[in-house]
């Protein structure tokens, strides 16, 4: 994988789709895997071992002016080389998503992308049964979905307006419980 920021290449682990067996989905689209040992959620984020920039396949290759420098200052200059290219624990997965969320915010990424990252962090906390963190990240996802809907930045992505509204409604419902 080539890093979007430093352009260096490294390897990363991915779960092949033929090994992913989803038994069902939660009401907020969280996949419940038939085999809990093979969870594709753990490997959606790429972490550059050289500079620390973290991103998903959904990130744009474009960096708005000055954002590269900001990311290099706030992430890369503090990065202690670390590889996430091996098998990941749920803790590793959460850390990679949090770093991708931070990098995406610094990059001024689309709200729809940041919403998806926050939603996946909430799902990982759900798996760990840490309710307060799940709810915290559901609120972050809701905020980003609302911003995406109001700015229309979901246009041109695989996410439909209907799915945003469903996600928003379900997040609000969970928030009220």
């Amino acid at each position: 994988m080539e890093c979007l920021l430093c352009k260096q290449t490294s390897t990363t682990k991915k779960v092949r789709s033929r090994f992913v067996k989803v038994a069902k989905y939660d009401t907020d689209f969280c996949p419940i895997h038939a085999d809990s040992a093979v969870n594709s959620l753990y490997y959606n984020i790429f972490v550059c071992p050289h500079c620390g920039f973290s991103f998903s396949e959904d990130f744009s290759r474009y960096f708005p002016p000055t954002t590269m420098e900001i990311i290099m200052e706030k992430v890369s200059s503090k990065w202690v080389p670390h590889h996430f290219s091996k098998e990941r624990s749920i803790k590793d997965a959460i850390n990679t998503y949090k770093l991708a969320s931070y990098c995406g915010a610094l990059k001024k990424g689309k709200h729809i992308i940041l919403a998806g990252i926050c939603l996946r962090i909430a799902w990982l906390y759900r798996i760990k049964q840490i309710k307060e963190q799940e709810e915290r990240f559901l609120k972050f996802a809701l905020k980003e979905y609302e911003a995406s809907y109001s700015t229309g930045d979901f246009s041109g992505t695989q996410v439909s307006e209907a799915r945003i509204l469903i996600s928003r409604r379900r997040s609000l419902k969970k928030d009220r419980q």
Side-chain angles (χ1 to χ4, degrees):
M1 172 68 53
E2 181 183 84
C3 176
L4 299 177
L5 182 67
C6 73
K7 305 298 183 204
Q8 292 197 52
T9 59
S10 58
T11 59
T12 189
K13 191 174 187 91
K14 284 291 269 181
V15 178
R16 293 182 187 208
S17 59
R18 69 178 179 189
F19 295 113
V20 177
K21 304 282 189 255
V22 176
K24 64 180 183 170
Y25 291 90
D26 277 350
T27 59
D28 62 357
F29 309 110
C30 176
I32 308 299
H33 292 82
D35 179 1
S36 61
V38 182
N39 192 328
S40 59
L41 283 175
Y42 291 14
Y43 302 97
N44 285 340
I45 302 298
F46 307 109
V47 179
C48 178
H50 307 287
C51 71
F53 184 68
S54 302
F55 58 100
S56 72
E57 291 176 342
D58 299 323
F59 274 47
S60 155
R61 298 186 81 69
Y62 170 74
F63 285 82
T66 73
T67 56
M68 283 182 125
E69 294 80 8
I70 291 169
I71 294 167
M72 291 166 125
E73 174 192 332
K74 295 188 180 268
V75 177
S76 302
S77 69
K78 296 168 177 46
W79 181 248
V80 176
H82 185 79
H83 283 272
F84 285 99
S85 59
K86 305 279 187 222
E87 191 169 326
R88 292 181 185 172
S89 66
I90 193 166
K91 182 181 177 186
D92 290 337
I94 289 169
N95 288 336
T96 63
Y97 277 100
K98 284 181 176 180
L99 189 53
S101 175
Y102 183 57
C103 289
L106 292 173
K107 187 179 181 293
K108 298 181 172 123
K110 289 185 171 190
H111 295 289
I112 193 67
I113 305 303
L114 298 175
I117 289 172
C118 290
L119 183 60
R120 284 167 180 80
I121 296 170
W123 293 346
L124 292 167
Y125 278 119
R126 183 180 305 159
I127 292 166
K128 284 188 69 139
Q129 298 179 340
I130 303 176
K131 189 106 176 115
E132 70 278 356
Q133 290 299 318
E134 175 191 352
E135 290 173 4
R136 178 176 170 234
F137 281 94
L138 284 173
K139 287 178 185 175
F140 290 149
L142 174 61
K143 180 181 166 199
E144 292 296 339
Y145 277 124
E146 288 175 335
S148 177
Y149 183 73
S150 67
T151 63
D153 81 354
F154 63 92
S155 296
T157 69
Q158 294 179 339
V159 181
S160 68
E161 184 173 349
R163 185 165 177 159
I164 286 179
L165 294 173
I166 290 168
S167 296
R168 183 179 178 276
R169 191 187 73 186
R170 290 193 175 127
S171 293
L172 285 170
K173 184 178 174 187
K174 285 193 180 262
D175 194 33
R176 290 185 186 129
Q177 291 177 348

